[in-house]
Amino acid sequence: SPRSTDTNLPIGPRTAEFRLDSSIGTSEAQPIAPDGKPIFITRNEQRVYELRYAFAEDSNQPVELSLPADHLGAGRFRQIEWSSAPLRLGWLRRSTGDLVAMIHDPQEEVLGWAPCSLSGDANLNAIAVSKTPDGTRDVLYCVVRREINGQEVRYVEVQAPFYADVVAAGDPADAIP
């Protein structure tokens, strides 16, 4: 419907126009917003940015989170999901069919990236994060394509809690086989 020219109307979907303007651009992947700060994959699908508000400039400032691991963007990021418990992790699915983990905690000034291997000859098609029934931790679900006995099949698989062995062992060095 056409925009109203009446200047006495409150701001709303029929009286305001919002555009997504950016020199960086965003991909079609749904962004995440841990702690209310948007994290998104760029238009070229090779970088990941977080928008932070800067009081001094009274504006949002983009911060490139993928800079320390820019080589991982060569596989093009296609999807991003967030898990907050027990660890603050961003999970990224790449066009190459593999998984990348981003540990991110700006309060503690922690940022790290790691490629994650899938068991066997697998190709990652989609990811999703959901809480356990008791709400104590987040679980990463993966739709994985595999070839079994010459047939292409897809499975929904759950990422094993990689930190469980470390916690149970007490000393992280004891968890290494």
Side-chain angles (χ1 to χ4, degrees):
S1 67
R3 301 266 186 257
S4 172
T5 56
D6 184 349
T7 57
N8 293 325
L9 293 175
I11 294 175
R14 296 185 189 273
T15 60
E17 183 174 330
F18 299 96
R19 299 184 330 209
L20 300 175
D21 291 343
S22 168
S23 62
I24 299 168
T26 63
S27 76
E28 292 184 15
Q30 180 71 35
I32 58 174
D35 307 320
K37 296 176 184 160
I39 297 176
F40 62 94
I41 299 169
T42 60
R43 178 179 31 244
N44 69 4
E45 298 180 331
Q46 295 180 329
R47 298 174 293 158
V48 175
Y49 274 82
E50 178 181 47
L51 285 181
R52 296 181 185 167
Y53 184 76
F55 286 102
E57 290 85 21
D58 190 27
S59 66
N60 287 321
Q61 299 294 315
V63 176
E64 185 177 352
L65 299 178
S66 55
L67 189 60
D70 62 351
H71 62 288
L72 294 174
R76 300 205 184 264
F77 300 117
R78 292 290 166 86
Q79 184 181 359
I80 184 169
E81 297 290 334
W82 181 256
S83 65
S84 58
L87 300 174
R88 298 172 52 86
L89 293 168
W91 296 102
L92 293 103
R93 179 178 58 87
R94 299 192 314 166
S95 65
T96 51
D98 57 344
L99 185 65
V100 173
M102 171 188 71
I103 187 164
H104 179 54
D105 190 344
Q107 298 295 337
E108 297 295 327
E109 297 182 8
V110 171
L111 176 63
W113 289 82
C116 302
S117 59
L118 301 172
S119 64
D121 184 27
N123 190 297
L124 191 59
N125 290 164
I127 56 176
V129 171
S130 182
K131 293 205 174 301
T132 57
D134 64 3
T136 59
R137 66 182 180 90
D138 293 330
V139 177
L140 175 67
Y141 292 90
C142 303
V143 176
V144 178
R145 180 177 44 108
R146 298 179 183 276
E147 188 172 314
I148 308 290
N149 297 326
Q151 297 284 337
E152 184 178 286
V153 293
R154 285 184 172 75
Y155 294 99
V156 175
E157 299 180 1
V158 177
Q159 172 74 30
F162 56 88
Y163 45 82
D165 291 335
V166 174
V167 173
D171 181 4
D174 294 338
I176 301 170

